[in-house]
Amino acid sequence: MTKSLLRRLLQSKLRGTSLESLASRPKHGFEVPVQQWLARELAGFTDDLLAELCGSGGVDMIDGRYVQRLGAFRKNGGSKPFARKIWLLLTFALWHHLHKERFGFKSAQ
């Protein structure tokens, strides 16, 4: 068990409260709700950035047909693995959009 001293201290401070079980639960990661964001809050933003990657001003190192398939899949509900791929493309697209002139990127023709 990692951090046993901290866990014991937490147990002593929380004993008798509704939060007592926090000190003994196993570790778990923090998951970001990317799939939900892409389907709801960021849907329009996602469509715009993916369209920019696929359009005439797109990035020549990205296969526009693949991006279009991912975008269509996202609109149909998608899945966690595809959401992560779209998220990676979105972060790249946003970076590219902000820095394309600075780094002299050429658009796909």
Side-chain angles (χ1 to χ4, degrees):
M1 180 184 246
T2 59
K3 302 178 184 173
S4 60
L5 181 61
L6 290 175
R7 286 182 182 271
R8 284 194 307 242
L9 179 64
L10 186 61
Q11 283 172 338
S12 70
K13 296 292 184 189
L14 297 177
R15 192 165 289 121
T17 71
S18 61
L19 300 175
E20 187 173 1
S21 65
L22 282 177
S24 59
R25 74 177 190 184
K27 291 171 57 173
H28 67 292
F30 175 77
E31 189 160 327
V32 179
V34 171
Q35 191 175 2
Q36 176 185 327
W37 289 345
L38 294 177
R40 296 182 192 149
E41 294 91 343
L42 297 176
F45 181 71
T46 301
D47 291 340
D48 292 345
L49 279 176
L50 290 179
E52 184 177 319
L53 279 178
C54 296
S56 61
V59 182
D60 58 1
M61 65 181 111
I62 303 270
D63 181 0
R65 293 171 298 189
Y66 179 72
V67 173
Q68 287 174 337
R69 285 194 309 266
L70 283 177
F73 189 76
R74 182 197 62 77
K75 288 180 183 177
N76 293 325
S79 68
K80 203 176 279 189
F82 277 91
R84 292 184 188 281
K85 289 178 183 183
I86 293 170
W87 186 256
L88 287 172
L89 276 173
L90 286 179
T91 56
F92 173 76
L94 186 57
W95 177 86
H96 179 266
H97 180 78
L98 293 172
H99 298 287
K100 61 185 169 189
E101 292 174 11
R102 179 178 172 198
F103 292 106
F105 285 111
K106 299 203 182 333
S107 297
Q109 300 298 330

